[in-house]
Each structure stands twice: as C-alpha cells, then as structure tokens.
Amino acid sequence: MTSPSNNSAPSETVISARDLRLTLGEGEAAVEILRGIDLDVAAGETLALLGPSGSGKSSLMSVLTGLERATSGKLTVAGEDFTALDEDALAQARRGRIGIVLQAFHLLPTMTAVENVATPLELAGIRGATERASEELEAVGLGHRLTHYPAQLSGGEQQRVAIARAIASRPPLIFADEPTGNLDTSTGSSVEDVLFRRREETGATLIIITHDRKLAERCDRVVTLGDGLIASDTAKS
Ligand SMILES: Nc1ncnc2c1ncn2[C@@H]1O[C@H](COP(=O)(O)OP(=O)(O)OP(=O)(O)O)[C@@H](O)[C@H]1O
Ligand SMILES: [Mg+2]
C-alpha cells in the first residue's frame, strides 16, 4: 500500500500503525474517535490526509506525533515504539525530529515571532537559533514581522510563523494540519512551496491534512478518513 516517493531503493517505513484506536471521554460520554487505523508511511513520502470535518484527521495526527496516546494498538514512529514511551520520552522523541503545524497555531503569546521560532531550536541545541529563525520567517514572507507578537499578527501570518517553527530544525518528519486553511490563494501556494521545497532539500516525510484537492494532488499519496477509519488510500501512479 505504501509508495516510496522515488523509484530508487525501497524506502524504510517511518510510521507503522496497527489497529490504532483512540477513545476520548469516560463512561456514557466515551467516544471512539479512531476505530482501528492501519497505516504505513515510507520515508520521504508526501501524504495528504483528507476527510470530512470530524472524521478524525487531527486526532490521528495527534496520535502519530505522540501528542496524544492511542487507547490501544501499535505505533512505531522513526524506530521508536510510541505505545511504550511515557509523556517525557515522547516529547524527547519529537524534539528536532518531528515538526508539527497544529490546526490552532499554539504560538506563545508572550514571545515575538522570531522568539517563537527560535525557542524550539534552542531547546534542540541548535546553534545560531535566532539567525536560523529569521531566515525561516523570511522564507514564509514574514521578514518584516520578526519582532511582532502573535496578537499583532493576522491569522494567516500566525499560521506562517507556526510553519516556520515546525520546519526550522529541518525535521525528518513534518506534519501540518490544514497549513493553508487561513491563507489567500497566492500566500497559500507560496507557503505550500516552502513546505515542498524543504521536503526536497531534506528528504523529509510530509503529512498534510487538507480540504484542498489541489494541495492533495501535489502529494504522492492520498489517504481519506471517514468516521475514524481509513476509507481510501491511493498512491499516485
Ligand atoms: N477531547 C475530545 N473529547 C471528545 N471528543 C472529541 C475530543 N476531541 C475531538 N473529539 C471528537 O472527535 C472527532 C474527530 O475530531 P478531529 O478534530 O480529529 O476531526 P477532524 O477530522 O480533524 O475535523 P476538522 O476537519 O473539522 O478539523 C470529532 O467528532 C470531535 O468532536
Ligand atoms: Mg482537524
């Protein structure tokens, strides 16, 4: 089912999920949000995750990135058994390896744009964090907004800071939840270009949640969720 994005040697599997389930809430209020997901993603693959609102896309991303723990099932990400790691170990496993653009951007309100991007770099022990952060912000068209606080930025600008922050450490795995959802067409496509260019440069695996068919078509593979299950999984021929 997986399709390596190039036709050289078969790529290694970076994500392997078996019968992943996620139940949130307790007792009467319990909702089974992921109902048995099987998914293998090859290194370097670009994958679009589609599906109706409420189908479980963001929840699946939370589990695959270790932000949320699956209720049951088996999950290996970049060689780590995510079902066996505790919260601290998951955070450690993510650092510098998994770049995440959340649907709500989660910028730190007390930090400027450049500080939001530089801080995770510093935490990952990367030198020249501020310079790198400035370059990343320039790449998403925000060179003129470096010292603005999130509250002083538009929704689309905040989204671009979140993207710069996610990719600044050049992680081998990038997840983005509707990264162009708040952007006009031209800003959206230039931000897409930033993501795909970075993928080209680093060979990163790129998983993008989107409602945008055009963006999905740029990916090697399109996976559609429906009601907590994979409804279709199509690789580009
Ligand atoms: N903390 C929670 N407790 C209970 N149910 C939740 C919780 N978080 C999400 N859900 C439910 O899980 C389902 C899947 O949500 P999720 O955010 O993954 O959907 P999505 O596919 O990303 O939708 P959208 O396209 O609107 O972003 C929804 O029905 C949502 O109401
Ligand atoms: Mg969502």
Side-chain angles (χ1 to χ4, degrees):
M1 285 242 270
T2 55
S3 75
S5 65
N6 53 42
N7 40 23
S8 55
S11 306
E12 60 176 307
T13 301
V14 281
I15 298 173
S16 171
R18 288 292 170 277
D19 198 25
L20 269 194
R21 289 169 189 270
L22 177 68
T23 302
L24 293 177
E26 308 258 310
E28 297 259 299
V31 191
E32 199 176 22
I33 289 163
L34 300 176
R35 302 192 299 130
I37 300 281
D38 292 307
L39 184 70
D40 286 306
V41 182
E45 199 165 27
T46 55
L47 187 152
L49 189 57
L50 271 64
S53 180
S55 58
K57 303 179 300 293
S58 297
S59 304
L60 178 58
M61 182 173 123
S62 295
V63 172
L64 297 181
T65 54
L67 290 170
E68 184 115 50
R69 184 180 287 284
T71 310
S72 66
K74 179 97 185 139
L75 175 64
T76 309
V77 179
E80 302 265 10
D81 179 357
F82 268 32
T83 41
L85 300 181
D86 66 18
E87 238 170 74
D88 287 347
L90 283 171
Q92 187 60 40
R94 273 197 301 276
R95 193 162 292 153
R97 278 204 238 162
I98 307 184
I100 309 171
V101 185
L102 291 169
Q103 195 167 14
F105 325 121
H106 292 281
L107 299 178
L108 293 166
T110 56
M111 288 188 185
T112 63
V114 74
E115 287 164 355
N116 263 283
V117 179
T119 300
L121 295 175
E122 283 160 5
L123 286 172
I126 292 170
R127 278 167 196 271
T130 302
E131 292 70 29
R132 170 91 72 93
S134 307
E135 287 163 19
E136 295 291 343
L137 285 167
E138 268 158 38
V140 294
L142 287 179
H144 61 311
R145 291 286 184 270
L146 297 182
T147 57
H148 283 231
Y149 289 89
Q152 301 170 321
L153 298 169
S154 72
E157 287 170 344
Q158 290 178 47
Q159 190 158 28
R160 284 183 278 159
V161 175
I163 290 166
R165 179 179 61 181
I167 66 176
S169 69
R170 290 170 167 64
L173 251 169
I174 302 168
F175 287 84
D177 196 346
E178 299 192 36
T180 57
N182 288 282
L183 305 176
D184 63 82
T185 314
S186 93
T187 313
S189 69
S190 75
V191 164
E192 271 175 48
D193 291 343
V194 168
L195 283 172
F196 281 88
R197 207 180 311 130
R198 179 53 50 84
R199 193 225 147 260
E200 285 282 304
E201 287 163 13
T202 63
T205 309
L206 182 58
I207 298 182
I208 307 179
I209 296 175
T210 185
H211 290 286
D212 180 349
R213 284 264 154 204
K214 268 223 171 95
L215 172 51
E217 279 165 18
R218 288 183 76 167
C219 296
D220 303 324
R221 181 174 169 200
V222 178
V223 171
T224 308
L225 279 194
D227 203 14
L229 287 168
I230 291 181
S232 69
D233 185 344
T234 316
K236 220 182 243 174
S237 47

